[in-house]
Amino acid sequence: MLLDGDQWRAHFDSYQHDAFRFEVQPVYTMPKETESLASFLRGEPKPAEHNAAWHRRVRGFVSSGRTIGRVRVVRQPLTDYQRYQFAWGIPGNIAAGEDIRILDATEQDLGVPDQDWWLFDDASAVHLNFRPDGTQINRELVTGDMHRYKEWKRIALAHSVPFAEYLKEHG
């Protein structure tokens, strides 16, 4: 089942305990980010309200006792988009309460998919499908046996490091 904007938001916001994202695309071509990415690449300072709507949502999830996190897969050298995420996106997301870890897959293959997905409460997954240029095609709800997603999550968490630790080693 494909989830459009309203269905996606309702499904996302209804999780009860834990939301986990596995994030692998080297580039995301998101219309809302076009100008801020261009500003970053020009060396301009990050606007004070950058990503503020997401930060409010994350703070709401966390204040209600829910957890939210992700493992961001990277390969060296980082893409311009990944550098933008590292400088302008991830620090604010962490400050809002999101647990973000980095899995550097430059020299390892862990048998995890090359597919973005969210896992909600270990009960449902949503594939985020993208074109090679990073443009999102759709969001696809997956239900039923979540064993493989839970195993991929376990592997990703076991082989990743907290964002701050990754920056110390590679920053």
Side-chain angles (χ1 to χ4, degrees):
M1 170 181 175
L2 298 181
L3 299 176
D4 69 13
D6 291 339
Q7 291 172 313
W8 166 236
R9 176 85 182 233
H11 186 78
F12 195 111
D13 290 350
S14 70
Y15 84 91
Q16 298 295 304
H17 305 287
D18 178 63
F20 172 81
R21 178 155 180 194
F22 188 71
E23 189 173 49
V24 300
Q25 301 302 311
V27 174
Y28 295 94
T29 306
M30 308 297 286
K32 292 180 183 178
E33 293 179 336
T34 302
E35 183 52 39
S36 63
L37 175 58
S39 295
F40 167 77
L41 293 173
R42 288 190 299 266
E44 297 173 9
K46 178 175 80 170
E49 289 297 306
H50 179 77
N51 217 12
W54 177 248
H55 298 158
R56 283 189 295 276
R57 286 184 72 198
V58 169
R59 283 191 296 273
F61 298 141
V62 172
S63 70
S64 71
R66 297 180 280 177
T67 61
I68 184 166
R70 68 182 75 204
V71 168
R72 177 62 167 113
V73 177
V74 299
R75 289 178 178 78
Q76 295 295 330
L78 297 180
T79 65
D80 286 345
Y81 186 88
Q82 290 167 335
R83 290 186 311 100
Y84 162 72
Q85 279 186 316
F86 277 37
W88 282 26
I90 293 174
N93 293 0
I94 291 171
E98 192 174 350
D99 177 27
I100 300 180
R101 301 174 61 84
I102 306 299
L103 191 161
D104 192 323
T106 303
E107 297 181 16
Q108 60 183 334
D109 179 3
L110 301 172
V112 293
D114 196 19
Q115 163 81 53
D116 283 43
W117 46 269
W118 280 95
L119 178 63
F120 298 101
D121 297 325
D122 289 342
S124 69
V126 175
H127 287 188
L128 306 175
N129 299 311
F130 294 90
R131 291 183 182 90
D133 73 351
T135 304
Q136 190 172 77
I137 300 167
N138 58 34
R139 299 172 205 93
E140 182 180 358
L141 177 64
V142 179
T143 58
D145 184 6
M146 293 290 115
H147 176 77
R148 67 183 178 159
Y149 295 95
K150 291 189 283 187
E151 179 62 10
W152 291 333
K153 177 182 175 182
R154 185 196 66 73
I155 291 167
L157 290 171
H159 293 277
S160 61
V161 297
F163 176 70
E165 184 178 325
Y166 186 82
L167 281 186
K168 283 181 191 173
E169 294 176 16
H170 298 93

